[in-house]
Amino acid sequence: MGVEIKFTDKEFPVSPIFIDFLYRHRNNLEFDTTWHDQLSEEMVAMGDTMRETATAHAGEVLQDPDGQRVIYRSYQLLTAFLTGVPDQLRNLHERYKFICIVGVPRHGGSYLTKQLFLALGMEADKVPNVIAHDGFPDASPFDFAQGYNAYTNMMQNMSEFLAMVEEYFANSRLFNNLIIVPKKATKAAYHGAFFNRALGPNTEYIVTLRHPVTACISTYEKSTGLPEGEKFKVRGNIEEWVRRDNVYTGVLEDQVLNQDYFDAYLHYWEHYHYNLVLTGLRQNHNWQLVAYNKVRMEAMAQGFFTRFKSKGKAEEFKVFDKRDRHPQWFKKAGPAILRVRDVWRTAGLEFPLDEIMEAW
């Protein structure tokens, strides 16, 4: 029996962020480049402007030969992911080397990503969010709903991202015959094996680590402050990921929203670090760990400048001491941190406990 299954762009429509990128890139227009602001505590609004731009200019992009070429390339890559054709990725893996900064938000990843671009001689404040930061490609715990499959959505996002990389970095400088592509890839933890195969064996991972108490403080500061009664509340993307990951690991929705803020955050932080070593990212052993503090972050950043023979110097990493806040949270955090250390040991990786416990 022969079965023929056909998918069209109705089942896999081009994403608005891809259309917006192609329109701006084609017309030499400014991109949204707010990703590198380490100190901002303001929440970033959803991309309404981006979606409006995509809707208004989709026809122009789809009729343009270069737009058609890049979109076709994304569908070629999507087909390779869906049907298992790794040879379609070979040329990409032989030309580009990804250096991914992976870690929970508010762990210093944006700083390191920016310094990596600067060390490569690129103007970080002109690099589009979609190229540099962790919002795209989207990867998350599995979900399945009307018109949505988290796995196929991730595959299409990755296909579009790689097509954008080929376009954006096409004429970039070579280092050891490879084009270096920095990427803040927070979401790689959820589906490490997929990211590892999609980005290729040359990829390097720099994993940022931070004590959950000070990271939690930084998170609620970014979300306009600690909610009344210290109860968990969703006001921005990071808190939505906290809610989602709690539910995914078995906490009832109503319970999440009735938890103490730190309890919900700590649950998210702990399970994220399990995902880092248990979802397949460790197939690639080219990892570096860096625990959050001024000296270590700046040393890692300056290492980029040395490695790529840049004449510049790494920018200062701003650190604020918050260790005197929430002493009761530190007591709660201890057992979770030790559980993470023990799970990492089962994966053959030593968690830098002493450095984490500095709690910067």
Side-chain angles (χ1 to χ4, degrees):
M1 180 181 71
V3 177
E4 182 176 349
I5 300 174
K6 291 184 178 180
F7 293 111
T8 70
D9 57 2
K10 290 183 179 180
E11 288 79 27
F12 293 100
V14 179
S15 70
I17 200 168
F18 191 22
I19 292 290
D20 179 77
F21 170 85
L22 291 172
Y23 170 71
R24 294 178 186 277
H25 184 67
R26 174 180 181 271
N27 292 288
N28 294 314
L29 299 176
E30 291 185 356
F31 290 93
D32 185 352
T33 60
T34 55
W35 62 269
H36 54 80
D37 182 0
Q38 178 201 348
L39 297 180
S40 173
E41 302 295 355
E42 297 179 0
M43 289 186 292
V44 178
M46 295 297 289
D48 291 334
T49 301
M50 177 270 295
R51 283 189 285 267
E52 291 171 2
T53 300
T55 300
H57 299 286
E60 176 183 338
V61 171
L62 294 171
Q63 292 173 18
D64 176 64
D66 283 336
Q68 292 175 357
R69 171 181 55 80
V70 181
I71 291 170
Y72 177 79
R73 172 59 169 158
S74 75
Y75 281 121
Q76 182 184 47
L77 291 168
L78 175 60
T79 301
F81 287 135
L82 290 173
T83 60
V85 189
D87 281 350
Q88 288 286 350
L89 298 169
R90 181 178 300 169
N91 289 340
L92 191 148
H93 292 165
E94 291 176 350
R95 181 168 174 78
Y96 298 93
K97 177 185 181 68
F98 295 86
I99 301 181
C100 294
I101 315 296
V102 184
V104 174
R106 315 304 293 171
H107 278 48
S110 295
Y111 167 80
L112 290 179
T113 307
K114 180 183 180 183
Q115 302 314 302
L116 184 50
F117 275 109
L118 293 175
L120 292 167
M122 300 182 67
E123 297 180 78
D125 59 356
K126 294 185 178 179
V127 178
N129 287 0
V130 68
I131 292 293
H133 220 230
D134 52 11
F136 195 87
D138 191 20
S140 65
F142 181 71
D143 196 9
F144 182 71
Q146 183 63 40
Y148 178 78
N149 180 319
Y151 289 166
T152 56
N153 179 70
M154 175 179 65
M155 291 179 187
Q156 184 170 13
N157 277 193
M158 180 63 80
S159 302
E160 292 179 342
F161 170 69
L162 294 176
M164 285 187 274
V165 163
E166 290 180 326
E167 190 70 7
Y168 188 80
F169 290 92
N171 300 313
S172 296
R173 178 182 170 187
L174 296 176
F175 294 89
N176 295 324
N177 296 316
L178 291 168
I179 293 174
I180 307 299
V181 180
K183 182 63 174 176
K184 187 168 186 282
T186 297
K187 299 175 182 180
Y190 294 106
H191 298 285
F194 174 72
F195 271 74
N196 188 49
R197 295 303 298 270
L199 300 182
N202 289 321
T203 302
E204 297 178 20
Y205 297 97
I206 298 172
V207 179
T208 60
L209 303 166
R210 190 180 188 184
H211 195 285
V213 171
T214 45
C216 182
I217 293 169
S218 185
T219 298
Y220 76 60
E221 287 178 340
K222 188 174 179 63
S223 299
T224 71
L226 190 60
E228 184 178 356
E230 297 191 6
K231 294 298 182 182
F232 182 72
K233 187 176 182 180
V234 175
R235 297 161 295 176
N237 286 341
I238 301 174
E239 290 170 335
E240 169 54 26
W241 298 343
V242 171
R243 183 208 63 79
R244 177 201 65 194
D245 287 17
N246 270 258
V247 171
Y248 185 75
T249 53
V251 183
L252 297 177
E253 183 88 31
D254 291 344
Q255 291 177 336
V256 176
L257 299 177
N258 285 316
Q259 283 188 94
D260 288 342
Y261 192 95
F262 183 67
D263 290 346
Y265 180 86
L266 183 62
H267 188 88
Y268 159 73
W269 182 94
E270 179 177 351
H271 285 269
Y272 180 93
H273 287 84
Y274 296 156
N275 286 330
L276 269 175
V277 297
L278 297 179
T279 66
L281 205 63
R282 284 290 291 160
Q283 293 177 56
N284 181 330
H285 284 257
N286 200 358
W287 278 38
Q288 295 183 74
L289 306 179
V290 55
Y292 193 100
N293 85 349
K294 181 179 177 66
V295 173
R296 287 186 291 266
M297 285 289 182
E298 290 181 355
M300 176 67 72
Q302 191 58 44
F304 300 152
F305 285 78
T306 301
R307 174 180 176 181
F308 297 112
K309 297 179 173 59
S310 173
K311 295 180 181 179
K313 182 180 178 181
E315 295 176 332
E316 181 183 4
F317 183 65
K318 303 288 187 179
V319 176
F320 304 95
D321 193 345
K322 303 172 182 179
R323 292 173 291 181
D324 61 343
R325 301 192 207 174
H326 308 294
Q328 72 281 13
W329 288 6
F330 280 92
K331 293 180 180 179
K332 289 183 177 181
I337 294 171
L338 293 179
R339 287 194 295 269
V340 169
R341 178 202 62 184
D342 293 343
V343 169
W344 277 41
R345 282 178 174 171
T346 69
L349 192 63
E350 194 63 31
F351 192 73
L353 183 63
D354 290 344
E355 294 177 351
I356 299 302
M357 297 305 287
E358 294 171 9
W360 287 103

